[in-house]
Every structure is written in C-alpha cells, then in structure tokens.
Amino acid sequence: MKKNPPLWLSLIPLVILMVMLVSVVLAFGSDSLSGASQIALLVASASCITLGLLFKTMKWSDFEYEINRHIGDLGQAILILLLIGAVAGSWMISGVVPTMIYYGMQIISPQWFLVSTCVICAIVSVMTGSSWTTVATIGIALLGIGKAQGFHEGWIAGAIISGAYFGDKMSPLSDTTVLAASTTNTPLFEHIRYMLYTTVPAFILTIIIFVFMGMNHGGELSNQIGDFSRGLSQVFRITPWLLLVPVVTLLMIIRRLPAIIILFLATLMACITAIFVQINLVDEIAGGDAGSLMNRFRGVMILLYGSTSLDTGVPELNSLVATRGMSGMMGTIWLILCAMTFGASMKASGMLRSIMHIFVSFTQKTFSIVASTAGVGFFSTVVCADQYLGIILTGNMFRDIYKQRGYESRLLSRTIEDSVTVTSALIPWSTCGMTQSMVLGVSTFVYFPFCFFNYLSPLMTLLLAALGYKIKRCVKPSASTETA
C-alpha cells in the first residue's frame, strides 16, 4: 500500500479550491455555477496532480485509472439527467405540470402547503426510491403552486427536498439505501429499521417547522392565485385527463420498473399528449409552417432538447413555465465531470486518504467514532462530489474499525446514510446539489437554509451517539481497543 502524503501537502488543493470557490461566488453571485465553479474545480485538480507528481505520491497512470473509473461510473447518472431534462420539457408543454399546478392551487390550502409538500414528496420518494425522480416530476408542480401562493422559493424547495430525501433514505428501492447496507454488510431491512431512530425524529421536527411557518403565512395573495389560474388556462388546455400521465408513471413506479425506463416512457406519453392536446403550443415552439407534419416534429424535438418560453400574461408565471430540456442539463453534467476530476485526482494522489486518516485517529469513544464517520462521510462527498463515492469510501474505511471495536454494522450504515445521502443535496457542486438546483431553478445557496430534514438527520445521529441510545456492541472489544 502506498504511503500517505503529508497532511500539509494534502490540504493545499483543498485550500486552493476553497479560495477559488469563494472568489467565484463573490465575483459571479448566483451565476457562479454557470462555468466559473467548473474552472475552479479543474484548477484545483491540476494543482493536486502537479503536487502528486512532484512529490511522487502518484503516477500519471494512477490518475488515468481513477478518472476513467469515476467518470465511467457516471454513465447511468448522466443518462438519467438528460431524461429528467426531457421530462421537465415535455411535462410542461404537454400541460401535465400546468394542470397539476392549476388544480393544486385550488385544493391545497396555503396554511398547509409547506407541510403538504414535504409529506407528498416523502410518500412519492418512498415509492420511487429516487429523490431525483420525485423532484423532477411532482416537485416542479409543487414549486409552481407554492409560488402562486406567495411562498419564497427557498421555503418551497426546502420542503420538496426535505420530503424527497426522507423517502430516498427510507425506501428499500433506493440505490443509496441498498448501497449503504451492502457496503457495510448489513441486512437491508435491519438497516432501514435502525434508521427510524434518527430519521423519524428529524422528520417530525421538520414537519413541525413547516406547520408553524405555514400557519403564519397569510392568505392575502388570493389575487395572485387567480392570476396564475387565468394565465395557465389561457395558454394551456387544462383538463383532468392530463393527470393520466402522472398516474401511469406512478403505476410504473409501483411496479418497480428501472428509473431510466420510467423516465423514458413518461417523456413519450407527454410528447404524444402534447401533439393531441396542446398542438397549438407545439406549432408555436416550432415556428415556421404551422400545421405541417415536419414542423410539428420539429416542435416536439425542441421541447425535448431545447429552451422554450411562453407568454401567459403573468411575468412570474412566464419564468415558471419556461423549460430548458436536455440542453439545460448540460451545465449540470459539465459540473459533475469537473467535480469527478477533482475527486479522482485527490484519490489517485493519496491526499484524500491522508486527510481522512486524521478523522479515523479520533475514533475512541462511541460519540467520537460516530462523529468521525459522519465527518469522513460528509468530507468525502464534498471532495468527490458524489454520494455514491462518499458511501463506498466511508463504508470501506470504517467497516473493520467498527468490527474491531465491537459495534454493530447497522450503526455504521445508519451513520453513513445520515451524513452522506441527505447532505449531498446541500453541496452546490455535487451531483445531487447541482441536479436539484437546475431542475427546480433554485440555487443551492437559496434552498440550503430551509432543508431542515437534511441537516437535522446528521445532528440527530450525533445526539443519539452522545446519549448512547439504542447503540449496542455485538462483541466485547479487545483490551487494545477498549474505550475509556
């Protein structure tokens, strides 16, 4: 095994990255993820590789191996991202999302909107096992309803993401849940049951916060709801029959079809619906010869891959119904590739291993071992910009340590989920953070303070570790590892 590089050397690329990211945010503000942050990640990657080669902690072939493996593992995620862009465009222009917004504004009371949003997203995410699918479908509709009811977009996105990641974490269909259990050799449903001790209290506290804020939300914005309703009905043909598309999508989810198949079929259904129900919008998007077959084919292609904008007569609604299609996801993919490059360079050079070794050195008492696990999990997700890598790295690093100290594997798997899965959406350059930000059109920095569940979960893990609640040792540790 290669010798770890010194800590001071390992921290240099991180310092460079932090300084550049802070400078980018100060210079570009909310537009910082449009390209400048990607360059910052590449510069930090270059500095890491240069230091690794100069100090002989890596070979160029090591980096080639890691970058091929990191980016190779992203193939399915990139395809899902492109399909999410297609779903967003087709569901909007076909009238599916506008119909959900139209009826949702009439059904969901403003006072109960935030808590309803959180619970609905939690239920859908438990059934789908995917926070990404939940946010890209029902989440977009709920965002429109919330804006019409006068809620700040940060609060709406926070409720959507809180619910979506509760379901993602607790669903037996979730790939992160299965990965955390399998990486730590923990039976899946034992892992899920053990997470209830931290997840349920965190979710209850989140619900209480959203109930309190919703009850204090005034109902004086009924005029805006009326404007939104009129704007939607003037541009789109609103009919309950359009709700068949999300219903069929839900049935596919219940049948546990793969996410790629679900998203593809959901897009196909929406395209067919657009041709039969919103054909005037398809013609408008295509431009040119209205009514010709090729022109309508052009319109369908554009709504799938390109940007669309419609005039509803309500400026706030115009921005909501605008779509970016598959091309709108390219910025996300660009950022993910740059983040993966930085993660690969840190791993190939041994610098990531050197930094995480510091966390491991603090694993003495129950609280310190859980806190160190959570710290490594969050840190590795920040550096690698990917929750899957964070789960795998943390699980592999601590699996033997937990076993030696006599702790149950389910404690490790729960801590990993609490520190990696739910916090990944809070990191702007991570696959999750960038995806949710782009899909909802709300900056990570804007929704971060309102994702209560996402940072209450790791705090709840630390609290239970400090109290020692429901934490058992499966074997008595040896004298050399006995804690004080």
Side-chain angles (χ1 to χ4, degrees), residues 18 40 193 208 369 421 453 476:
M18 291 301 108
R193 283 194 296 269
I208 291 172
I369 192 172
T421 300
F453 175 77
K476 185 176 177 63

Side-chain angles (χ1 to χ4, degrees), residues 49-50 61 70 84 93 106 135 143-144 155 202 208 261 268 273 283 299 312 349 448 450 461 478:
I49 295 169
T50 302
S61 59
H70 278 57
I84 285 175
I93 302 303
Q106 302 174 31
V135 173
L143 182 70
W155 277 101
I208 291 172
I261 294 177
L268 180 61
T273 302
D283 288 336
T312 64
S349 64
F448 171 88
F450 309 103
T461 291
S478 61

Side-chain angles (χ1 to χ4, degrees), residues 228 429 467 471:
F228 270 48
W429 56 86
L467 297 174
I471 295 178

Side-chain angles (χ1 to χ4, degrees), residues 424-447:
S424 59
L426 307 179
I427 303 169
W429 56 86
S430 74
T431 53
C432 291
M434 188 61 178
T435 298
Q436 312 308 2
S437 175
M438 291 293 291
V439 170
L440 293 174
V442 182
S443 168
T444 312
F445 299 106
V446 173
Y447 71 61

